[in-house]
Amino acid sequence: MKQILLALLFCLSVSALAQTKGPISIRTYAEYGYNYTWENYGGLAVIANVPINSYFSLEGGVNTNTSNVHAINARAIV
């Protein structure tokens, strides 16, 4: 399932990159946390913003944690 989602995200990003009209921004985040359930955990997030034209851009990213909690997000910004 994870491989299918990553392949889909890759295909969408390649098609968006082919049509981009501005600079692409990529942000990364590292995090550390502690709670009683997971104790110490860390995570990494990567978010990319791809402008399609001056009125529309796509943003998507992946967030993964050592506590086996993962998320994929995507949105269109008008």
Side-chain angles (χ1 to χ4, degrees):
M1 180 69 177
K2 189 190 302 186
Q3 291 85 4
I4 294 171
L5 290 174
L6 289 175
L8 179 62
L9 182 63
F10 177 75
C11 291
L12 289 174
S13 64
V14 168
S15 66
L17 288 175
Q19 301 174 9
T20 185
K21 299 296 182 190
I24 299 169
S25 65
I26 297 176
R27 296 173 295 191
T28 59
Y29 300 98
E31 61 183 10
Y32 167 78
Y34 178 86
N35 61 33
Y36 291 114
T37 304
W38 298 108
E39 296 183 355
N40 296 305
Y41 66 91
L44 178 67
V46 178
I47 300 172
N49 187 331
V50 179
I52 302 301
N53 59 33
S54 59
Y55 304 108
F56 182 75
S57 65
L58 297 175
E59 186 172 281
V62 176
N63 184 352
T64 183
N65 291 309
T66 59
S67 58
N68 288 329
V69 177
H70 312 287
I72 295 175
N73 62 11
R75 67 180 179 162
I77 303 168
V78 180

